[in-house]
Amino acid sequence: MGFVWEWPVLEGELVRLEPLGHQHVPDLAVAAEEDRSSYGFTWVPRADEAGRYVDEQLARAASGRLAPYAQVLRSTGRAVGATSFWDPRFALTPDALSAVEIGFTWLAGSAQGTGVNTEAKYLLFRHAFEVWHVARVDLKTDARNLRSRAAIEAVGATFEGVLRNWSRSWAPGEDGQLRDSAIFSITAQEWPARRTRLESRLASPR
């Protein structure tokens, strides 16, 4: 049997990643309005756009390009953001996934810096490498987004360079423009060491 593009619930100590659905809209509407100061380069809906946001992500999922998740705090059961697997690539055979990207990630202001992002990335990496057996996981961000670049490096990804005019810009006032994208990755060979490092970090008192 070949690869099946599906995404189960992924459970951690702090966060549960649930396949995104309309049941998450009310929570996401609240989360998105908590503190928008860190969203200058990131696509995050306004409260009244949360329903359309979920519709658009589910449409991407139906196309086979996206596997969207809501990030749900286990302590409260409240969705505090979103993330996704994105752009599955089949370099060798049509039924063997070789690489996938993690993207479309955002968190409410109150969830930033709490360990939720680290644990969510750990859960996604573990699924990609140990269930899907990918050769690499990609992450990218606007090259100008120093905060996002630091967060990606903090979870163990290696900076590979900047691709110019590579992706759609989400920065205010840049509709219809392209951005330079900073590209990061973790490879299958690196994953065991990265897993140990992330597990140690998650076990440390916060």
Side-chain angles (χ1 to χ4, degrees), residues 20-22 24-25 28-29 32 42-60 66 68-70 81-84 103-106 170:
L20 184 68
H22 291 104
H24 299 116
V25 169
L28 293 179
T42 306
W43 178 39
V44 180
R46 303 299 312 216
D48 61 356
E49 299 170 333
R52 181 167 60 85
Y53 169 84
V54 170
D55 287 340
E56 291 177 359
Q57 293 297 74
L58 293 179
R60 290 182 174 90
L66 188 77
Y69 281 102
T83 191
S84 297
F104 291 97
T105 299
W106 63 273
W170 299 104

Side-chain angles (χ1 to χ4, degrees), residues 27-28 31 34 71-73 76 78-82 106-108 110-111 116:
D27 284 349
L28 293 179
E34 279 190 9
Q71 302 195 63
V72 177
L73 287 183
T76 65
R78 184 170 65 93
V80 292
W106 63 273
L107 279 172
S110 62
V116 168

Side-chain angles (χ1 to χ4, degrees), residues 71-142:
Q71 302 195 63
V72 177
L73 287 183
R74 289 194 59 192
S75 60
T76 65
R78 184 170 65 93
V80 292
T83 191
S84 297
F85 287 118
W86 168 240
D87 193 22
R89 300 192 301 286
F90 302 82
L92 297 176
T93 65
D95 60 354
L97 186 68
S98 59
V100 70
E101 183 177 330
I102 294 172
F104 291 97
T105 299
W106 63 273
L107 279 172
S110 62
Q112 296 176 24
T114 64
V116 168
N117 178 64
T118 299
E119 186 175 69
K121 291 296 193 297
Y122 168 77
L123 295 171
L124 293 167
F125 291 148
R126 188 177 66 183
H127 188 78
F129 286 117
E130 299 180 16
V131 177
W132 288 342
H133 303 292
V134 299
R136 63 177 278 145
V137 172
D138 303 335
L139 304 98
K140 69 174 184 282
T141 189
D142 192 305

